[in-house]
Amino acid sequence: METPPFWDDRNLQLLLFGGKGGGGKTTCATAAALTMAGRFPEASFLLVSIDPAHSLADCLGGDLPPDNLTTLELDAQECLQTFKAKHHRELREIASRGTFLDAQDISQFLELSLPGLDELMAFLEISQWVKRRDYDCIVVDTAPTGHCLNLFTMPQLMNQWLSALDALAAKHRYMKARFNPSAPEDETDNFLEELGGLVEEMEALLRDPVRCHFVPVTLAEALSISETCALVHELGN
């Protein structure tokens, strides 16, 4: 039987498995990670799940992975909360500069979340691991179809969110340029530029056929095949 070409692709840095829930994504991702780790014992691999219903441990059946394979069940909501906690000051400062909200309203504003934003933050974390080359290849067990599609469309939505934050910061930027043009960029400017750069890098990674590969997983039944074909079609647009 012909083996999948990605098993021997040493340029591959990110391998994603996606499809309908219950279709075997986790099993296939685990099998691929174990196979690649066995083929290239000198390389380092990470098998990570961003599916809210983690089952990596079940797939491994209690067995320890090889030394060159790390496994991780990533909590997307925890990634979002960590991001908010890390950048709470910058987000509050942007909101206070660009709105007439009081402290309580700003707190409520910062608790708002775009659908799928937690998964995006989790994937930003993965993207940074790829950028730093923490591992030679990262194998990702994605969330079911709907969540997976959100993940691939989130860079555009994230850019819109960043544009909104930038618009809030624009008033302060104008005042600073008008009355204190020699003042250096502050933390909020740096924060927006850094986050915008991370989103651009993530989008570039997902669109790079050399570094990134997506594997659709389906069952041999009509509904599963139909949903997976729709997923592949959406990803191709």
Side-chain angles (χ1 to χ4, degrees):
M1 184 175 67
E2 185 177 352
T3 60
F6 56 77
W7 275 357
D8 294 313
D9 188 350
R10 300 308 304 271
N11 294 315
L12 194 63
Q13 297 177 33
L14 188 64
L15 179 62
L16 303 113
F17 287 81
K20 187 177 182 296
K25 294 184 291 77
T26 305
T27 301
C28 290
T30 302
L34 288 170
T35 299
M36 294 167 73
R39 284 179 177 238
F40 305 106
E42 75 285 358
S44 60
F45 297 87
L46 171 66
L47 171 62
V48 56
S49 171
I50 56 174
D51 188 336
H54 298 299
S55 56
L56 287 185
D58 294 333
C59 280
L60 290 170
D63 294 333
L64 293 176
D67 292 339
N68 64 331
L69 174 61
T70 302
T71 62
L72 176 64
E73 294 179 337
L74 198 59
D75 187 327
Q77 186 61 37
E78 184 178 320
C79 289
L80 176 59
Q81 295 306 318
T82 299
F83 172 83
K84 286 183 175 181
K86 179 180 180 181
H87 300 292
H88 183 76
R89 183 173 62 178
E90 292 95 334
L91 292 169
R92 286 191 66 89
E93 188 66 23
I94 291 171
S96 65
R97 290 175 178 179
T99 70
F100 295 102
L101 301 176
D102 59 24
Q104 182 178 355
D105 289 335
I106 288 175
S107 295
Q108 293 176 349
F109 169 75
L110 294 179
E111 287 305 313
L112 296 176
S113 176
L114 292 171
L117 187 59
D118 52 349
E119 291 160 355
L120 176 71
M121 292 304 167
F123 203 80
L124 278 176
E125 187 79 9
I126 295 172
S127 298
Q128 292 183 77
W129 297 337
V130 174
K131 179 182 178 182
R132 295 194 304 259
R133 296 306 305 266
D134 291 351
Y135 304 91
D136 291 296
C137 184
I138 298 177
V139 181
V140 182
D141 172 30
T142 68
T145 304
H147 292 274
C148 183
L149 283 175
N150 283 339
L151 173 64
F152 285 95
T153 58
M154 276 307 293
Q156 292 84 2
L157 292 177
M158 188 66 178
N159 283 327
Q160 294 177 13
W161 186 67
L162 284 171
S163 295
L165 290 179
D166 189 65
L168 293 178
K171 181 180 71 173
H172 174 76
R173 197 178 298 122
Y174 170 80
M175 297 296 289
K176 185 174 67 175
R178 179 70 175 82
F179 298 104
N180 190 13
S182 61
E185 288 189 343
D186 58 21
E187 292 183 2
T188 59
D189 293 318
N190 295 331
F191 163 69
L192 291 174
E193 289 180 7
E194 179 182 351
L195 186 55
L198 288 175
V199 174
E200 287 181 3
E201 290 171 1
M202 186 192 80
E203 187 171 21
L205 172 62
L206 290 173
R207 294 181 179 276
D208 188 341
V210 175
R211 295 186 298 154
C212 180
H213 191 79
F214 180 83
V215 181
V217 179
T218 186
L219 296 175
E221 58 184 36
L223 180 60
S224 183
I225 292 173
S226 176
E227 185 171 317
T228 305
C229 287
L231 170 64
V232 173
H233 176 74
E234 287 293 328
L235 293 178
N237 292 335

